[in-house]
Amino acid sequence: MAQTKRIGILTAGGDSPGLNAAIRGVGKTALGFYGMEIVGFRDGFRGIVEDRRLKLDRSTLAGILTVGGTILGTSRDKPHRMTIDGRVHDMTNVIVKNYKRYGLDVLVCLGGGGTQKSALRLAGAGLNVITLPKTIDNDVAMTDASFGFATALDIATDAIDRLHSTAHSHHRIIVTEIMGHRAGWLTLGAGIAGGADVILIPEIPYDVHKIAEAIRRRSRAGTNFSIVAVAEGAMSKEDARPYGIAEARKEKARNQKEKHGAKLELAALEARHSGNTLRLAKQLEELTRLESRVTILGYVQRGGIPSPSDRLLATRLGSACSDLIHENVFGVMVASRGDRAEPVPLEKVAGKRKLVPPDHPWVEAARRVGTCLGD
Ligand code: F6P
């Protein structure tokens, strides 16, 4: 008789709505449909290192479909760079040891880009690993969508809707910052859906004078307010130039020393970039002579009840994950392709990022309806 399969599961990286729906999708299919066992590890990869577990059974999986966050907790800890007692250690071997000690057949990792890289590393260390794509940024490669994005899109769009009326009443520019350091999907999507007048994303560096001119044009036409939707990582053309050079240096690094140097440079540039939204609002106020205000949406975008489409996506990817475990398909991410869920080798996902192509239909549509993209 075949032995009962044992699944370990964890959530890593920033939390997002739909994580619990995915845990439930994996767990209910594994327990109820295939008769497998499943155990959760708390707070990302740290839980498997520190032996902090949560047994997942029918009662723990009940009632979590609509709950935000993750019942397992999460962290940004990486297996190969984990701070223990104030010092950074490579804990990969401890994870391998504990995986064997718990008699696991597979480790399911729910996460974004960083988690896909960590999972590939663990696969390289000999573990059976499967991942699911989660992030409000929607930038995981090789999948149509990641859960968390649809809910965040609703939240950010609702915020822009609300900002419209107050911007209109006060004849102000309201600059609203939306999450996304590298990818502009959320800002672009919410900006289009909310009818923002200006949308600024990391993939399209902006010229502040062009934005000011677009706002002044609106004023001349009799509309004395504007909504500017700006991604956290959107940059002016001047700021984007050194950033691009440092990124290329990191990509082309021939050894660890060069890579480390490029990373330090990028970190310094990122530090300098913080507060950019406030500076942008001030620049626009000076250039247009319209009063400006800033609203930073921040973590509100990651919180609360997942939307129906995120629940649906997370449930079907989670359930498909258990199907793949049953078929002994490992070393893959469960990607969404149209209505289907498909396994994609982790090598094709890890270290890649799905950015907004400059000629994407969303970009084209935004331009056609007269939205300024700052370029
Ligand atoms: O990757 C998701 C995300 O919410 C980004 O949009 C944001 O830049 C980042 O996480 C914030 O990370 P943290 O939770 O570590 O502050």
Side-chain angles (χ1 to χ4, degrees):
M1 207 180 89
Q3 239 191 321
T4 306
K5 279 204 171 113
R6 288 206 87 196
I7 302 174
I9 186 167
L10 57 84
T11 53
D15 72 339
S16 76
L19 279 168
N20 287 326
I23 295 169
R24 174 182 173 273
V26 176
K28 286 208 163 189
T29 308
L31 290 169
F33 196 72
Y34 291 116
M36 301 172 186
E37 288 173 11
I38 179 161
V39 59
F41 293 99
R42 295 185 189 272
D43 301 336
F45 293 101
R46 188 170 284 270
I48 189 164
V49 168
E50 295 179 350
D51 189 14
R52 290 190 287 116
R53 281 170 282 167
L54 175 68
K55 189 166 166 41
L56 297 175
D57 54 23
R58 278 164 214 278
S59 73
T60 5
L61 293 172
I64 63 169
L65 176 64
T66 58
V67 178
T70 159
I71 58 164
L72 293 175
T74 187
S75 71
R76 291 210 182 264
D77 291 307
K78 298 179 178 71
H80 68 295
R81 286 185 57 78
M82 203 172 284
T83 305
I84 312 268
D85 293 333
R87 290 186 56 199
V88 178
H89 298 269
D90 184 346
M91 302 308 278
T92 308
N93 288 342
V94 177
I95 293 177
V96 173
K97 196 175 82 200
N98 286 346
Y99 175 100
K100 290 185 181 149
R101 188 153 65 93
Y102 304 137
L104 298 182
D105 294 290
V106 60
L107 182 64
V108 177
C109 307
L110 280 57
T115 305
Q116 309 299 329
K117 280 205 244 175
S118 296
L120 179 62
R121 188 175 282 270
L122 293 179
L127 305 192
N128 291 334
V129 180
I130 299 195
T131 66
L132 294 181
K134 158 261 35 164
T135 167
I136 66 162
D137 295 354
N138 203 31
D139 61 350
V140 175
M142 305 297 289
T143 180
D144 289 352
S146 298
F147 48 86
F149 175 66
T151 309
L153 185 61
D154 285 353
I155 296 168
T157 303
D158 179 60
I160 294 177
D161 289 347
R162 288 168 192 277
L163 292 171
H164 256 105
S165 58
T166 170
H168 187 228
S169 309
H170 284 270
H171 320 296
R172 282 173 174 159
I173 299 171
I174 297 198
V175 181
T176 176
E177 183 186 284
I178 295 172
M179 273 186 168
H181 266 119
R182 303 270 186 278
W185 295 107
L186 189 54
T187 307
L188 182 60
I192 294 171
D197 308 293
V198 180
I199 299 176
L200 305 174
I201 61 174
E203 294 89 339
I204 304 178
Y206 63 80
D207 175 343
V208 72
H209 296 280
K210 295 212 169 145
I211 305 170
E213 180 46 31
I215 293 172
R216 281 194 298 259
R217 216 178 301 128
R218 278 170 60 75
S219 296
R220 286 197 296 274
T223 311
N224 255 335
F225 76 94
S226 284
I227 301 287
V228 179
V230 54
E232 271 178 314
M235 282 185 190
S236 67
K237 290 187 179 171
E238 305 83 76
D239 288 350
R241 217 163 290 125
Y243 200 88
I245 294 170
E247 282 257 291
R249 200 169 290 155
K250 190 177 129 202
E251 285 299 307
K252 289 192 194 127
R254 284 163 301 178
N255 50 47
Q256 279 307 320
K257 196 169 166 230
E258 281 183 15
K259 196 166 186 175
H260 185 65
K263 277 188 178 173
L264 286 180
E265 206 177 322
L266 282 169
L269 289 168
E270 260 162 31
R272 214 185 305 153
H273 187 259
S274 77
N276 187 57
T277 303
L278 296 170
R279 281 195 295 277
L280 174 65
K282 194 149 193 316
Q283 283 174 307
L284 291 177
E285 186 164 280
E286 283 163 10
L287 290 168
T288 63
R289 300 188 185 282
L290 282 175
E291 204 176 28
S292 302
R293 292 288 188 269
V294 170
T295 298
I296 296 178
L297 299 186
Y299 295 89
V300 162
Q301 296 160 99
R302 291 214 317 232
I305 300 171
S307 69
S309 54
D310 267 339
R311 292 180 215 171
L312 182 56
L313 177 65
T315 302
R316 66 183 182 82
L317 295 188
S319 181
C321 177
S322 290
D323 294 340
L324 291 168
I325 294 169
H326 174 69
E327 292 159 18
N328 293 320
V329 178
F330 303 121
V332 296
M333 178 184 80
V334 190
S336 175
R337 295 277 171 81
D339 284 340
R340 297 167 53 84
E342 283 178 13
V344 179
L346 280 174
E347 292 83 357
K348 291 194 172 176
V349 181
K352 316 272 191 310
R353 193 177 269 130
K354 185 178 75 178
L355 297 177
V356 178
D359 58 349
H360 190 271
W362 290 11
V363 174
E364 305 277 331
R367 291 194 195 281
R368 299 236 159 92
V369 297
T371 313
C372 168
L373 295 181
D375 58 341

